[in-house]
């Protein structure tokens, strides 16, 4: 299709741009010029195309073609989808999204979930039935426990059709904090581009979401909730190892290599790497058309030959694990960019236990369209093994919360704001007619158990879910776990038994020796339940034995994480042994340290007594953790160990002392000068800077060179009561993210301990609580690209109590906060609706 040149639109654009120059949008940056970079004669028209016409605009990778599955009026404004075992397609319609450029009517309950059916088996949907309507901006869906989970901020609903009439007649609230409901009058309070989304039943049988810090599962008819880390912006998927993949708009692919549940185990250790790993460093994209209609299209660095240069709306990362595409496509990551009208294919690989990805094509994409209204916003693998695309077919995708004047002018000049209510579902198929699959038709639970070994992940995962819901047949599932011919079948069988709470010791023992590393990893993770059973000694013996023989980096990493759960010295020694020969990424030592809380000194003593620090990175981490714990008796023993090292190990002593710098922000308080200190100093050259560095990390009464500590005013009775109330409120509301110890969790919340924001300006701290804060923000020398939501639902007294608590807990000495101060600041910023940025906060005294 030859692009049409719209010279008139270009002229209109210039006129509109001049007329609206002073009309600021929320997304405008103060003082930033918004010049038009794409020549008007190169900008093609953007007419509304029929589905058949749009299909002709696709440029598809060799060997593939695109087929239409459904289009308006069967579906409108689709944003998410899920297949049910009967082949029907459940689609979430966000019909309220940006009805106009002002967002008028976004709070109207016009969203719904429809079910599409292919009645004649020709591959296209013929009917659309409304399952649930009256929703405000729904955005997420997954099938579970005989019903459907539907996310529509602020609610996460569990809906069932009990009378089988095709409509939901039961609607149960699972969560009421699933994002913030939109308010057209206060757009900054609820950013639809950053609300929770992408419900995913994971291998571990918990249901996760993108951009959300909770996970759910049902046990004995009741929903259970647990805390997890914040992941990405829009989209969430997994691979066969159980790694989560996600992204943000300008960062196309990240992953959790380390399961997030292990992150917060050791408050003494440094930040555990392995979550939020950058998998794809290359952010280049290769659109099929010029892209003037992007939000920051006036910046030269955004464009290459007038086309989008790098991801600006990356979303919906999907790991393809179907059986229809050629084998080399299995495990590939497909990523959408609706602003660039394209879908990228990445080839994902493993390097020393970590992940990386590279572009599959040179200067081209898997799919790119010349139609500006092609908006791929979600992907999934179907029961047939094909890749399905949700196309939110419309001109406007940028929400007004970040819309710039430049983009608004582009939209109005080309009439992209109308029409609305369209949408398509596409299917990507291989051209080779020999690449076909047969669709199973399981009728019994035993037949479902056999599908745990199906080559298409959709069938494996669906079988796992349905078997857990049925609670049977255990014997058939155990048969797959022990004797199944397909490794992935054996792995899914383990997780199925775990979800049914029916995993038996003999089955686990067999799986720990499985030849496939993915099965061994699953056996390690599911086997942790036996730590609290009569089989604990046998389990530890097997884990410790594996530590000496395991050679696969992914299994080594998981084994180290599991050994840390044992909290056993023999297991600690096995972790150290594993660290010595592990062929894993640099975060492996962090994984070991994460399981060593309170036992670092003992392991370090053992390692130093053997042959010195034969594992320098581990020994350094252990020593730093001891100092970070700040317990005088244990720090004194560490000094003694260092002083007792023989002269031939002086290099190791110097290395360890040098590594202690920065391990604690405050000196460790002793009641008197620690006895080993003088002996340790004698082992060092008199002019060594390490001596003064070490002494600065210690303090005791009577030191003449100790800086005078400014006395802190004791809390009044009223302030003490406020402190205690704040402790209760913090424990109930804040500790889930920041943790009871205040050291936070990587990927979820930064530390509060020793934080300059907590102990600094009350003006800044109150503003953070009242309006929230958007990352990146630097805390204790580390950058955190996280968002903290507003907590303005707390009243002034409650906020004062929480802030008083965090400013006086953990050896903090900052002034308490009064309810009057909070009230004054709340009044002063009452008209502000947006979250704060670091730059804005730093301008406030």
């Amino acid at each position: 299709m030859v692009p049409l040149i719209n010279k008139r639109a270009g002229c209109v654009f210039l006129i509109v741009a001049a007329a609206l120059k002073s009309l600021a949008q929320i997304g405008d940056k103060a003082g930033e010029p918004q010049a038009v970079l794409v020549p008007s004669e190169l900008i093609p028209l953007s007419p509304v195309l029929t589905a058949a016409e749009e299909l002709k605009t696709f440029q598809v990778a060799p060997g593939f073609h695109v087929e239409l599955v459904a289009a308006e009026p069967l579906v409108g404004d689709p944003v998410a989808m899920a297949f049910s075992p009967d082949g029907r397609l459940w689609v979430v319609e966000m019909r309220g999204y940006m009805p106009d450029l002002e967002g008028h009517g976004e709070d109207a309950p016009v969203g719904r979930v429809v079910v599409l059916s292919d009645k004649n088996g020709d591959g296209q949907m013929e009917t659309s039935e409304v399952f649930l309507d009256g929703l405000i901006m729904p955005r997420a869906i997954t099938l579970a426990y005989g019903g459907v989970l539907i996310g529509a901020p602020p609610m996460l609903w569990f809906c069932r059709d009990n009378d089988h009439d095709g409509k939901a007649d039961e609607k149960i609230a699972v969560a009421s904090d699933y994002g913030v409901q939109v308010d057209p009058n206060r757009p900054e309070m609820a950013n639809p581009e950053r609300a929770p989304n992408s419900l995913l039943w994971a291998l571990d049988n918990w249901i996760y979401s993108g951009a959300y810090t909770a996970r759910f599962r049902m046990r004995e008819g009741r929903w259970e909730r647990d805390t997890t880390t914040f992941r990405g912006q829009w989209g969430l998927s997994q691979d066969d190892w159980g790694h989560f993949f996600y992204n943000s708009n300008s960062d196309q692919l990240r992953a959790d290599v380390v399961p997030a549940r292990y992150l917060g185990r050791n408050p003494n250790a440094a930040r555990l790497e392995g979550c939020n790993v950058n998998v794809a460093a290359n952010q280049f994209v290769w659109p099929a058309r010029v892209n003037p209609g992007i939000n920051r299209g006036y910046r030269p660095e955004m464009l290459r030959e007038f086309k989008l240069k790098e991801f600006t709306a990356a979303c919906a990362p999907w790991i393809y694990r179907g059986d229809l595409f050629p084998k080399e496509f299995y495990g590939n990551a497909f990523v959408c960019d609706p602003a660039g009208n394209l879908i990228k294919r990445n080839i994902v690989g493993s390097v020393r236990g970590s992940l990386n990805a590279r572009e599959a094509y040179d200067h081209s994409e898997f799919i790119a369209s010349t139609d500006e209204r092609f908006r791929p916003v979600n992907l999934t693998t179907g029961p047939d093994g094909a890749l399905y695309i949700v196309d939110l077919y419309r001109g406007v995708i940028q929400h007004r919360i970040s819309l710039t004047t430049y983009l608004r002018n582009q939209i109005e000049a080309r009439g992209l704001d109308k029409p609305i209510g369209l949408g398509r579902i596409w299917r990507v198929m291989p051209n080779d007619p020999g690449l076909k699959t047969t669709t199973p038709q399981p009728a019994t639970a035993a037949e479902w158990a056999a599908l745990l070994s199906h080559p298409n992940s959709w069938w494996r995962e669906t079988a796992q879910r349905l078997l857990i819901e049925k609670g049977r047949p255990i014997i058939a599932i155990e048969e797959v776990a022990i004797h199944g011919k397909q490794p992935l079948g054996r792995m899914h069988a383990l997780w199925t038994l775990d979800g049914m709470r029916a995993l038996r010791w003999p089955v686990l023992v067999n799986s720990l020796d499985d030849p496939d590393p993915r099965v061994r990893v699953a056996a390690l993770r599911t086997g942790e339940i036996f730590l609290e059973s009569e089989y604990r000694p046998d389990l530890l013996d097997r884990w410790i034995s594996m530590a000496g023989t395991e050679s696969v980096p992914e299994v080594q990493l998981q084994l180290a994480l599991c050994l840390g759960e044992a909290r056993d010295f023999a297991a600690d020694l096995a972790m150290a042994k594993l660290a010595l020969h592990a062929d894993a990424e640099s975060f492996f030592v962090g994984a070991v340290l994460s399981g060593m809380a309170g036992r670092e000194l003992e392991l370090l003593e053992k390692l130093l007594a053997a042959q010195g620090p034969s594992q320098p990175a581990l020994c350094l981490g252990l020593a730093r953790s001891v100092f970070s714990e700040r317990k005088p008796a244990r720090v004194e023993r560490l000094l003694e160990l260092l002083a007792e090292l023989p002269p031939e190990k002086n290099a190791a002593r110097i290395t360890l002392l040098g590594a202690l710098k920065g391990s604690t922000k405050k000196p460790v308080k002793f009641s008197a000068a620690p006895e080993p200190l003088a002996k340790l100093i004698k082992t060092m050259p008199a002019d060594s800077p390490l001596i003064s560095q070490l002494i600065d990390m210690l303090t005791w009464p009577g030191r003449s060179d100790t800086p005078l500590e400014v006395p802190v005013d004791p809390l009044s009775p009223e302030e003490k009561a406020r402190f205690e109330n704040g402790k209760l409120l913090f424990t109930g509301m804040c500790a889930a993210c920041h943790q009871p110890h205040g050291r936070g969790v990587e990927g979820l919340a930064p530390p509060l301990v020793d934080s300059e924001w907590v102990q600094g300006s009350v003006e800044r701290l109150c503003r953070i609580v009242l309006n929230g804060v958007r990352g990146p923000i630097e805390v204790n020398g580390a950058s955190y690209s996280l968002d903290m939501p507003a907590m303005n639902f707390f009243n002034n007294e409650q906020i004062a109590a929480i802030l008083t608590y965090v400013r006086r807990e953990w050896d903090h000495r900052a002034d308490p906060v009064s309810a009057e101060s909070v009230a004054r600041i709340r009044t002063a910023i009452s008209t502000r609706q947006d979250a704060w940025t670091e730059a804005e906060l730093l301008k406030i005294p």
Side-chain angles (χ1 to χ4, degrees):
M1 179 177 179
V2 180
L4 299 174
I5 304 301
N6 186 2
K7 295 182 179 180
R8 181 176 180 274
C11 296
V12 171
F13 172 78
L14 295 175
I15 296 171
V16 174
L20 297 180
K21 188 174 181 180
S22 61
L23 178 60
Q25 298 294 302
I26 297 175
D28 291 342
K29 304 292 184 181
E32 185 178 44
Q34 298 186 12
V36 181
L37 301 179
V38 182
S40 60
E41 64 269 16
L42 296 183
I43 302 176
L45 291 167
S46 294
V48 177
L49 303 180
T50 66
E53 291 170 335
E54 184 189 6
L55 182 61
K56 296 177 182 179
T57 71
F58 293 143
Q59 298 178 8
V60 189
F64 291 88
H65 65 276
V66 177
E67 300 175 352
L68 180 66
V69 177
E72 68 283 345
L74 290 179
V75 65
D77 290 318
V79 294
M81 61 182 166
F83 278 98
S84 54
D86 57 9
R88 294 187 300 163
L89 185 59
W90 299 62
V91 180
V92 176
E93 297 182 335
M94 193 189 286
R95 289 180 172 267
Y97 183 75
M98 288 292 286
D100 58 29
L101 292 178
E102 305 301 332
H104 293 134
E106 277 199 327
D107 56 346
V110 295
R112 61 187 192 178
V113 173
V114 299
V115 184
L116 308 180
S117 299
D118 176 10
K119 298 291 187 180
N120 59 14
D122 64 352
Q124 289 195 9
M125 303 297 177
E126 288 88 31
T127 64
S128 175
E129 300 179 28
V130 178
F131 174 76
L132 181 66
D133 56 12
L135 299 171
I136 299 175
M137 300 279 278
R139 55 195 302 109
I141 188 169
T142 194
L143 306 181
Y145 303 107
V148 188
L149 274 173
I150 299 169
M155 304 302 297
L156 178 62
W157 297 106
F158 178 59
C159 304
R160 282 190 175 120
D161 173 16
N162 293 310
D163 59 8
H164 307 293
D165 65 349
K167 299 185 181 297
D169 48 46
E170 183 182 25
K171 190 177 177 185
I172 299 170
V174 178
S176 58
D177 63 346
Y178 202 73
V180 179
Q181 184 173 308
V182 296
D183 182 350
N185 297 317
R186 306 180 68 192
E188 296 85 354
M189 297 301 292
N191 187 347
E193 297 177 10
R194 292 181 176 270
N197 60 86
S198 304
L199 290 158
L200 174 71
W201 183 302
L203 275 179
D204 65 2
N205 301 306
W206 286 89
I207 298 172
Y208 295 80
S209 295
Y212 191 53
T213 57
R215 59 179 186 169
F216 302 92
R217 69 182 178 188
M218 185 181 284
R219 285 284 175 88
E220 298 176 356
R222 298 176 62 88
W223 284 101
E224 294 182 358
R225 176 179 177 138
D226 188 35
T227 300
T228 186
T229 57
F230 187 95
R231 295 180 179 88
Q233 187 169 340
W234 180 275
L236 184 66
S237 62
Q238 63 182 342
D239 64 8
D240 289 337
W241 296 91
H243 300 139
F244 289 130
F245 290 79
Y246 44 93
N247 59 16
S248 59
N249 55 9
S250 58
D251 190 354
Q252 65 150 323
L253 196 61
R254 287 187 171 263
D256 289 353
V257 178
V258 174
R261 60 176 294 265
Y262 298 105
L263 288 182
R265 297 189 297 177
N266 189 356
N268 306 323
R271 297 166 64 181
L272 172 58
E273 304 295 332
C275 276
N276 199 27
V277 171
N278 187 358
V279 178
N282 186 352
Q283 306 299 332
F284 289 151
V285 293
W286 308 96
R289 53 163 289 127
V290 295
N291 302 113
I294 57 175
N295 205 35
R296 308 288 174 188
Y298 51 83
R299 294 177 178 173
E301 66 270 19
M302 296 294 294
L303 302 174
R304 178 204 308 112
E305 297 178 351
F306 308 126
K307 297 179 180 180
L308 182 65
K309 178 182 178 182
E310 297 180 313
F311 276 104
T312 189
C315 65
W318 187 256
I319 304 300
Y320 177 79
R321 295 181 292 142
D323 59 338
L324 182 62
F325 288 11
K327 291 182 179 179
E328 62 268 26
F329 284 75
Y330 192 94
N332 287 185
F334 293 86
V335 181
C336 300
D337 191 312
N341 321 111
L342 59 86
I343 300 173
K344 178 178 286 293
R345 174 189 168 209
N346 294 284
I347 299 173
V348 180
S350 175
V351 179
R352 299 180 63 223
S354 189
L355 296 165
N356 61 18
R358 59 182 175 85
E359 287 185 300
Y361 307 105
D362 184 26
H363 291 198
S364 64
E365 302 294 358
F366 182 65
I367 295 176
S369 174
T370 57
D371 185 355
E372 190 170 14
R373 297 173 189 260
F374 171 57
R375 306 298 193 182
V377 296
N378 237 318
L379 304 170
T380 196
T381 304
D384 57 357
L387 182 68
Y388 285 76
I389 304 168
V390 174
D391 178 5
L392 181 66
Y393 192 79
R394 55 159 48 218
V396 177
I397 57 167
Q398 188 75 55
H399 192 261
R400 72 176 180 124
I401 194 173
S402 49
L403 184 70
T404 61
T405 298
Y406 166 87
L407 182 55
R408 179 174 184 134
N409 293 342
Q410 286 280 336
I411 291 168
E412 292 179 335
R414 295 202 299 285
L416 293 172
D417 53 334
K418 292 180 178 60
I420 59 175
L422 309 180
R424 287 90 194 254
I425 308 293
W426 303 100
R427 174 174 51 237
V428 185
M429 297 285 287
N431 294 338
D432 186 351
L435 294 172
K436 291 184 178 180
T437 62
T438 58
T439 302
Q441 295 182 339
T444 66
E447 290 174 341
W448 276 109
L451 289 176
L452 291 170
S453 300
H454 197 278
N456 182 353
S457 64
W458 186 90
W459 286 102
R460 295 195 303 271
E461 292 170 351
T462 302
Q464 177 177 324
R465 172 177 66 84
L466 293 179
L467 289 168
I468 290 171
E469 294 174 6
K470 296 175 185 293
R472 58 185 174 82
I474 293 175
I475 294 177
I477 299 169
E478 287 185 339
E479 180 68 19
V480 175
I482 298 173
H483 301 296
K485 294 181 180 180
Q486 301 301 323
L488 291 177
R490 300 195 297 272
M491 180 199 71
H492 278 279
L494 273 181
W495 281 115
T496 303
L497 293 168
D498 177 75
M500 298 167 68
R501 290 183 285 183
L503 181 58
R504 296 190 304 118
W505 174 251
V507 177
L508 180 75
V509 170
N510 179 80
S511 299
L512 286 170
D513 295 328
D514 196 281
D516 191 279
R518 293 165 297 186
V519 181
R520 295 200 298 278
V521 166
L524 287 167
R525 291 180 64 184
T526 58
E528 289 181 2
I529 60 172
F530 291 103
L531 286 173
E532 306 300 326
S533 75
E534 60 186 296
Y535 297 106
R536 176 185 171 90
D538 296 329
L539 181 65
L540 288 181
D541 286 346
R542 286 188 170 272
W543 283 358
I544 291 170
S545 176
M546 289 178 70
T549 60
E550 182 58 59
S551 61
V552 178
E554 289 86 352
V555 187
Q556 291 175 333
L557 179 61
Q558 184 57 52
L559 181 56
L561 295 167
C562 289
L563 286 166
E565 287 293 288
R567 296 171 179 83
D568 177 271
F569 191 63
D572 296 343
L573 291 175
M575 277 195 287
K577 182 179 180 180
L578 191 60
L580 183 61
H581 69 268
D583 184 27
E585 186 54 84
S586 58
F587 48 72
F588 183 85
V589 169
V592 173
L593 292 172
S594 75
M596 291 297 305
R599 307 187 309 282
E600 300 94 339
L601 178 63
E602 291 73 16
L603 180 58
L604 179 61
E605 184 169 359
K606 184 71 174 180
L607 295 177
L608 292 177
Q611 298 293 330
S614 56
Q615 298 122 322
L618 178 58
C619 288
L620 297 181
L622 291 169
R624 288 180 61 84
S625 295
V626 172
F627 251 89
S628 178
E629 192 178 15
R630 301 180 69 245
K631 291 186 177 180
R634 293 176 67 77
V635 173
E636 185 168 0
R637 177 56 183 156
L638 173 60
L639 299 178
E640 187 175 7
L641 291 175
L642 296 177
E644 291 174 349
L645 286 174
E648 61 269 21
K649 295 182 180 179
N650 197 48
R653 178 175 22 244
I654 292 174
T655 301
L656 285 167
L657 282 172
L660 294 177
K661 183 178 181 180
S663 57
T664 176
K665 282 184 170 289
K666 297 179 181 177
V668 181
K669 295 181 180 179
F670 290 85
S671 57
E675 292 185 10
L677 180 60
K679 182 179 178 181
L680 179 58
I681 291 175
K682 290 180 181 180
T683 67
M684 304 293 294
D687 59 347
S688 173
L690 296 178
I691 295 176
S692 59
Q693 173 188 300
L694 176 62
I695 292 176
D696 288 343
M697 297 171 67
L698 312 172
T699 186
W700 57 85
R703 269 189 61 182
S704 59
D705 60 339
T706 300
L708 182 64
E709 189 173 82
V710 178
V712 60
D713 292 332
L715 297 178
S716 68
E718 179 184 358
E719 291 166 341
K720 286 181 180 178
R722 184 171 289 142
F723 175 93
E724 293 300 328
N725 185 39
K727 183 175 183 179
L728 292 174
L729 291 168
F730 178 88
T731 301
M733 191 66 186
C734 310
C737 295
H738 291 288
Q739 300 296 294
H741 47 62
R743 294 181 182 268
V745 174
E746 176 65 16
L748 178 60
L752 302 179
V753 174
D754 297 332
S755 166
E756 61 270 45
W757 298 98
V758 171
Q759 300 184 87
S761 164
V762 172
E763 299 289 328
R764 297 174 183 171
L765 188 58
C766 278
R767 282 167 168 79
I768 290 174
V769 175
L770 288 168
N771 289 99
V773 65
R774 290 200 306 269
I777 185 170
E778 186 171 307
V779 182
N780 290 350
S783 180
Y784 293 83
S785 295
L786 303 170
D787 292 353
M788 174 181 161
M791 296 290 173
N792 51 19
F793 49 81
F794 285 123
N795 63 37
N796 297 334
E797 177 59 40
Q798 290 171 323
I799 292 176
I802 293 171
L803 297 187
T804 295
Y805 170 71
V806 299
R807 287 166 65 85
R808 280 299 178 94
E809 184 66 318
W810 311 304
D811 289 333
H812 291 173
R813 300 165 58 83
D815 292 337
V817 178
S818 68
E820 291 75 19
S821 294
V822 178
R824 174 181 55 78
I825 296 171
R826 190 192 291 265
T827 300
I829 61 173
S830 60
T831 59
R832 184 182 177 94
Q833 300 169 341
D834 198 6
W836 297 91
T837 65
E838 181 180 47
E840 290 175 320
L841 290 168
L842 290 176
K843 295 177 182 178
I844 300 169

